[in-house]
Amino acid sequence: MTVLDFSKLDGLVPAVAQDWETGEVLMVAFMNSEAWERTLSTGLMHYWSRSRRALWKKGESSGNAQEVRELRVDCDGDSVLAKVRQIGGAACHTGYRSCFHRVVEGGAVRLDGVKVFDPAEKYGGKA
Amino acid sequence: MTVLDFSKLDGLVPAVAQDWETGEVLMVAFMNSEAWERTLSTGLMHYWSRSRRALWKKGESSGNAQEVRELRVDCDGDSVLAKVRQIGGAACHTGYRSCFHRVVEGGAVRLDGVKVFDPAEKYGGKA
């Protein structure tokens, strides 16, 4: 399905995962065409990991998968908005519900978010 | 302020604008370091226009600026979430409130969004 233009960013588009119930923005990552197609066919969020240079099924190692509730594309077809059900309650590898748990204000960064798990416990100190 | 890592994407990071009251995701665009600094210093959203290769003060031509209510950065500092007050009620040049007014389902695209203005009227047929 060719609703997305992957040509603007070397084969990638940014994808926003938003909690389908609360509207909280959980994370931003990238999809290539394979990640998009897998997301469509499986109903589970797939991204392209830029650091590992590999297809990344969200939650593959953590168990914290994302079930697709709705997929949207933007006006010029170069980004994705996914409304998801976040399995395990946390999108972030740090244990926070959202990766956006850092507020920038007055020249400083303040933590503001719900921590759902302890990464040291979950990953045995590897996170 | 160096909370962002612009090195992963040739000097850019994706930035999500979210309505600060309703939680609706309005658009995704990109910021370079100058756009980020201008956003911080002015309280108005600035992006980097990839098509024009220029700093882009949102609403500069349309009047539909975005006032910053809160700025967040993600866990690894490579994307921005901005909660904004959308002046004029529409973020999208097509006249829709959100750029994400196209839902992908069952192999088709369905329009779903609130249209706030008629671009032909607003831009004299140039949109």
Side-chain angles (χ1 to χ4, degrees):
Chain A
M1 198 184 176
T2 57
V3 292
L4 284 168
D5 178 357
F6 291 99
S7 71
K8 292 184 183 173
L9 204 67
D10 292 334
L12 302 179
V13 296
V16 181
Q18 182 180 30
D19 186 287
W20 75 297
E21 285 182 316
T22 66
E24 186 174 17
V25 173
L26 300 172
M27 59 181 281
V28 171
F30 290 86
M31 286 182 174
N32 63 359
S33 63
E34 188 185 0
W36 170 247
E37 293 297 340
R38 290 278 184 105
T39 298
L40 283 175
S41 63
T42 64
L44 294 171
M45 291 299 286
H46 287 69
Y47 302 98
W48 172 254
S49 167
R50 293 183 296 169
S51 55
R52 291 187 288 116
R53 300 194 61 76
L55 186 72
W56 164 30
K57 180 184 169 185
K58 173 68 181 163
E60 200 163 19
S61 56
S62 67
N64 292 4
Q66 293 173 335
E67 290 178 2
V68 174
R69 284 291 181 270
E70 187 181 78
L71 285 174
R72 289 174 177 258
V73 295
D74 73 346
C75 49
D76 45 5
D78 61 8
S79 51
V80 171
L81 172 62
K83 304 202 179 178
V84 304
R85 186 168 87 89
Q86 177 62 60
I87 308 295
C92 192
H93 70 289
T94 61
Y96 280 91
R97 192 160 68 195
S98 166
C99 291
F100 292 98
H101 53 268
R102 300 195 293 156
V103 178
V104 179
E105 63 188 10
V109 171
R110 168 173 69 79
L111 287 178
D112 177 45
V114 177
K115 201 159 185 176
V116 175
F117 67 81
D118 176 355
E121 235 169 67
K122 190 174 179 92
Y123 302 112
K126 287 183 293 179
Chain B
M1 194 181 182
T2 56
V3 293
L4 284 169
D5 178 358
F6 291 99
S7 70
K8 293 184 184 173
L9 205 67
D10 292 334
L12 301 179
V13 295
V16 181
Q18 182 180 30
D19 187 287
W20 74 298
E21 286 184 315
T22 65
E24 186 174 18
V25 173
L26 299 172
M27 59 181 282
V28 171
F30 290 86
M31 287 183 173
N32 63 359
S33 63
E34 188 185 1
W36 170 246
E37 293 297 340
R38 292 278 186 103
T39 299
L40 283 175
S41 63
T42 64
L44 295 171
M45 292 298 287
H46 287 69
Y47 303 97
W48 172 256
S49 167
R50 294 184 294 170
S51 55
R52 290 187 289 115
R53 299 194 60 75
L55 186 72
W56 163 32
K57 180 184 169 184
K58 173 67 182 165
E60 200 162 18
S61 57
S62 65
N64 293 3
Q66 293 173 334
E67 290 178 1
V68 174
R69 285 291 181 270
E70 186 182 77
L71 284 174
R72 291 176 176 253
V73 295
D74 72 348
C75 48
D76 46 4
D78 60 8
S79 52
V80 171
L81 172 63
K83 303 199 181 182
V84 304
R85 188 168 85 88
Q86 177 62 60
I87 309 294
C92 192
H93 70 289
T94 59
Y96 281 91
R97 192 160 68 195
S98 167
C99 291
F100 291 99
H101 52 269
R102 300 195 292 155
V103 178
V104 178
E105 61 186 16
V109 172
R110 166 172 71 81
L111 286 178
D112 176 46
V114 176
K115 201 159 186 176
V116 175
F117 67 82
D118 176 355
E121 235 169 66
K122 188 170 182 96
Y123 301 111
K126 286 183 294 179

